Amino acid sequence: MPSRRLSLVALTIFAAAAVVGCKTNPVIETPTAPPLAVPEPLPPKKIKIGLALGGGAARGFAHIGVIKALEAQGIYADIVVGTSAGSVVGALYAAGNTGFQLQKLAMDMDEAAISDWAVPLFGKSSGVLKGEALQTYVNKAVNNQPMEKLKIPFGAVASDLKTGQPILFQRGNTGMAVRASSSVPGVFQPVVINNRSYVDGGLVAPVPVRFARDMGADFVIAVNISTQADVQATVSSLDVIMQTFSIMGQRINQYELKDADVVIAPSLGKMAGNDFAGRNQAILAGEQAAAQVMAQIKQKLEAKRRP
């Protein structure tokens, strides 16, 4: 009997020792590394799109077609700069008119209401006129808002008659700035602003690409509507003036257009500067020209927006 008790005591001690052994030798687990954090994708860069609208008299209706085509693809300008006819369309666009609204304005335009601008400029008179009707028309169309109050930042390029230097109007009377930008020498009287005389901006910036850059554009779409000098008729004295502008413009544009991200050149053929009857065809030519380079515009915009 004593030996049996001894065996039970020994067994109890052995079991207790086993338990203690388990406690003193715990199972060690290898910690796992936390999952790597996936960085949030960076948002696309905000790009300011600038629209540089060139001069070219009635050929300027093509600008409207370009704007329509861009808007149809969701591309809207953040900055608009215009020279001569481009300043007219640019001011109306900057005031908040869509491409379709611009087209309606163009189709409803009464040449008689702006006759002191349209008639001599487009070859029906060689007299020197003031261009006040253009100023009045533009101011009425933009609800008499000054340039700095327009919905889109807008600039109009003119030439200082005394120094030959370009001037970029961004503040003040919208119609007067457009009138100065459109005052073809020999046809219009120079426009006097703050005791300085200004004439057509086409003398210094036929397509104002660099001024769009100066106003903060990261991506510039330039619209060149100037005619080729070798297809321009030279019948009247006005034709000679417009031919001179074409020759000068081609020289300047060789340098100016290089700084644009995309250049749109509507196919306007021999359309004359006085061809108001061809406004519909010009608008269509603008739409077609923009459509032809739309893939290029989108591709370059996407590349610019990459973070």
Side-chain angles (χ1 to χ4, degrees):
M1 183 66 70
S3 61
R4 184 177 179 185
R5 288 178 180 174
L6 182 62
S7 297
L8 289 173
V9 171
L11 182 61
T12 302
I13 293 172
F14 177 80
V19 171
V20 172
C22 290
K23 288 183 178 179
T24 56
N25 295 284
V27 177
I28 300 174
E29 296 184 0
T30 303
T32 57
L36 293 176
V38 179
E40 291 287 332
L42 294 173
K45 293 179 182 177
K46 172 62 178 174
I47 299 297
K48 286 188 177 181
I49 299 174
L51 197 56
L53 305 178
R59 298 164 69 92
F61 287 113
H63 291 315
I64 297 173
V66 171
I67 291 169
K68 284 180 63 182
L70 291 173
E71 288 184 338
Q73 296 297 318
I75 300 172
Y76 298 88
D78 300 293
I79 294 167
V80 184
V81 189
T83 292
S84 199
S87 74
V88 179
V89 176
L92 303 184
Y93 180 47
N97 291 291
T98 66
F100 283 99
Q101 289 170 328
L102 289 173
Q103 182 170 1
K104 186 177 187 308
L105 284 171
M107 302 315 295
D108 292 342
M109 183 181 288
D110 182 4
E111 291 183 55
I114 52 174
S115 59
D116 71 336
W117 165 61
V119 173
L121 179 59
F122 301 136
K124 300 178 182 178
S125 170
S126 59
V128 178
L129 300 181
K130 293 181 179 179
E132 290 178 347
L134 173 61
Q135 179 176 328
T136 301
Y137 173 81
V138 171
N139 279 334
K140 182 178 179 181
V142 302
N143 296 318
N144 292 309
Q145 295 181 95
M147 300 178 77
E148 64 271 20
K149 296 294 184 181
L150 298 178
K151 294 183 178 180
I152 303 174
F154 168 65
V157 181
S159 307
D160 188 311
L161 186 58
K162 183 177 182 180
T163 66
Q165 294 298 310
I167 177 72
L168 177 66
F169 291 108
Q170 298 182 72
R171 300 181 63 83
N173 188 306
T174 304
M176 182 173 286
V178 169
R179 173 184 166 195
S181 180
S182 306
S183 292
V184 179
V187 179
F188 289 103
Q189 293 178 356
V191 178
V192 180
I193 302 174
N194 295 330
N195 297 319
R196 301 193 73 88
S197 298
Y198 297 99
V199 293
D200 196 291
L203 292 170
V204 289
V207 185
V209 174
R210 57 185 162 137
F211 291 102
R213 296 282 186 201
D214 290 345
M215 288 180 65
D218 305 302
F219 188 91
V220 178
I221 301 172
V223 186
N224 180 16
I225 58 169
S226 61
T227 183
Q228 294 295 318
D230 56 356
V231 302
Q232 184 73 32
T234 53
V235 178
S236 67
S237 58
L238 179 63
D239 292 333
V240 174
I241 293 174
M242 299 308 294
Q243 173 80 334
T244 304
F245 266 63
S246 296
I247 294 170
M248 292 177 57
Q250 286 180 20
R251 296 289 184 183
I252 298 172
N253 281 341
Q254 287 178 4
Y255 303 97
E256 189 89 3
L257 294 177
K258 287 180 180 179
D259 198 32
D261 292 278
V262 177
V263 178
I264 300 175
S267 181
L268 298 168
K270 296 183 179 181
M271 180 181 180
N274 64 343
D275 188 4
F276 263 68
R279 67 188 81 177
N280 236 341
Q281 288 79 7
I283 293 171
L284 179 59
E287 289 186 66
Q288 292 172 337
Q292 289 172 359
V293 297
M294 194 61 68
Q296 180 186 358
I297 293 173
K298 290 182 176 181
Q299 182 180 19
K300 289 190 173 184
L301 270 175
E302 183 181 352
K304 281 268 188 178
R305 286 171 173 155
R306 288 192 194 117

